[in-house]
Amino acid sequence: MSTSLPISATVRRPARLLTQNSEMRQIGVWNWSLPAWAGRLPDGRTYNTCPSAGICAQACYARHGTYTWPVVRAKHQANLAYVLDDLAGWQAAMVAELGAAKFRGAWIRIHDSGDFFSDSYLQAWLDICRARSDTNFYAYTKEVSRFRTLVEPDPPPNFLWVYSYGGTQDAALNPAVDRVADVFPDESAITEAGWASQEASDLLAVLGPRLVGVPANRIPTYLKRLAGRRFSEWQAEVDADRAARRGRRHLRLVVDNTRSDHSQPPTAEPSSMPGDQPRAA
């Protein structure tokens, strides 16, 4: 008789959860990555790791270059499958891995691709931060509403974040209060706007001035789409266009609903003559 194993024993577990790309290695930061935005796992399940992505999905660095290599994509998808299939087991494995001496006082960037796609996943990260208080964590996120509810009231002291423009919740951001990051066409545009660039070190996104400028990746197709705009400007244009289209649809519905009865074609008076009765089809 066969016996079923608990999920934690059957889920494929990546050998390592935290990695370093060449850029982060230079500043001593470790990465945790998920596949960017929407896709399909090898088992056929679909996913969206960036549910609040807006125009950023059209110019996302994590949907280009090395991120699309089969071995890299497979690694990120395995990370996501682990989270989806065994969140508690993944959380325990992350806490255990962070117990290594090399992570004491180190910085972990949560997501160099992907985002906090659910309340339970975000809560798991908050628990990890509290369990490893001798490690520092930071993240960019477009999940504004989720953070307002779950993080801002009582954030772990070793977790810093920056809200990034280019998402569907941009309107909820207040640059006079929130730490925000915006993608600019280049360094000169950041300087002209009076923002501080994080180009020298990604940690400046959470340790430097509150208004964070990120120079756009020099990917020709993405630069063409950006068309000299900031992500916030591009998203605002899209939001305004959608609002205008919704307004036009609402106006048409209002006009249709206010048509009076006498505007309908007159109905003929019924006749008692047999020849005027409707015939069966």
Side-chain angles (χ1 to χ4, degrees), residues 28-156:
V29 173
W30 296 80
N31 307 304
W32 162 255
S33 299
L34 297 175
W37 198 39
R40 187 182 299 274
L41 293 174
D43 61 14
R45 284 180 293 174
T46 59
Y47 61 81
N48 185 345
T49 63
C50 304
S52 295
I55 56 88
C56 63
Q58 301 181 49
C60 177
Y61 68 90
R63 300 180 65 204
H64 180 82
T66 58
Y67 288 85
T68 66
W69 293 359
V71 65
V72 176
R73 181 187 291 116
K75 164 63 175 171
H76 294 172
Q77 289 184 339
N79 286 347
L80 177 60
Y82 195 178
V83 169
L84 293 176
D85 294 336
D86 186 11
L87 183 61
W90 166 81
Q91 180 179 329
M94 182 65 77
V95 169
E97 186 167 322
L98 287 166
K102 64 184 177 182
F103 294 120
R104 291 174 191 161
W107 284 88
I108 309 299
R109 175 170 170 176
I110 306 174
H111 308 132
D112 67 326
S113 61
D115 206 341
F116 299 93
F117 58 84
S118 72
D119 287 358
S120 57
Y121 174 58
L122 172 55
Q123 187 60 57
W125 267 115
L126 296 177
D127 293 342
I128 291 168
C129 292
R130 291 189 170 95
R132 289 301 178 195
S133 58
D134 55 354
T135 301
N136 303 297
F137 301 84
Y138 77 105
Y140 295 76
T141 186
K142 292 178 172 62
E143 293 300 319
V144 183
S145 177
R146 206 184 305 280
F147 266 62
R148 298 274 199 244
T149 301
L150 297 180
V151 181
E152 290 189 7
D154 183 26

Side-chain angles (χ1 to χ4, degrees), residues 277-281:
Q277 298 301 313
R279 293 178 294 177

Side-chain angles (χ1 to χ4, degrees), residues 55-275:
I55 56 88
C56 63
Q58 301 181 49
C60 177
Y61 68 90
R63 300 180 65 204
H64 180 82
T66 58
Y67 288 85
T68 66
W69 293 359
V71 65
V72 176
R73 181 187 291 116
K75 164 63 175 171
H76 294 172
Q77 289 184 339
N79 286 347
L80 177 60
Y82 195 178
V83 169
L84 293 176
D85 294 336
D86 186 11
L87 183 61
W90 166 81
Q91 180 179 329
M94 182 65 77
V95 169
E97 186 167 322
L98 287 166
K102 64 184 177 182
F103 294 120
R104 291 174 191 161
W107 284 88
I108 309 299
R109 175 170 170 176
I110 306 174
H111 308 132
D112 67 326
S113 61
D115 206 341
F116 299 93
F117 58 84
S118 72
D119 287 358
S120 57
Y121 174 58
L122 172 55
Q123 187 60 57
W125 267 115
L126 296 177
D127 293 342
I128 291 168
C129 292
R130 291 189 170 95
R132 289 301 178 195
S133 58
D134 55 354
T135 301
N136 303 297
F137 301 84
Y138 77 105
Y140 295 76
T141 186
K142 292 178 172 62
E143 293 300 319
V144 183
S145 177
R146 206 184 305 280
F147 266 62
R148 298 274 199 244
T149 301
L150 297 180
V151 181
E152 290 189 7
D154 183 26
N158 57 333
F159 177 46
L160 302 177
W161 67 93
V162 54
Y163 293 118
S164 54
Y165 280 108
T168 58
Q169 298 186 44
D170 275 12
L173 294 174
N174 181 359
V177 176
D178 297 316
R179 174 175 287 275
V180 292
D182 204 352
V183 173
F184 288 74
D186 51 38
E187 284 285 342
S188 62
I190 297 174
T191 302
E192 290 171 9
W195 288 42
S197 174
Q198 53 70 271
E199 182 68 4
S201 170
D202 194 57
L203 286 172
L204 292 173
V206 290
L207 297 178
R210 183 171 41 78
L211 302 180
V212 181
V214 180
N217 285 273
R218 312 321 290 172
I219 302 170
T221 301
Y222 292 174
L223 289 174
K224 184 177 180 180
R225 293 174 185 170
L226 192 58
R229 299 166 292 185
R230 294 155 57 168
F231 267 21
S232 59
E233 294 170 337
W234 186 3
Q235 185 67 51
E237 291 176 10
V238 171
D239 291 344
D241 180 65
R242 287 175 178 165
R245 282 187 277 117
R246 284 196 299 268
R248 289 193 293 269
R249 286 197 297 270
H250 178 70
L251 181 61
R252 288 196 297 270
L253 289 172
V254 169
V255 170
D256 288 342
N257 289 337
T258 56
R259 292 178 62 182
S260 59
D261 291 341
H262 60 70
S263 65
Q264 301 294 331
T267 302
E269 292 293 329
S271 169
S272 59
M273 297 296 292

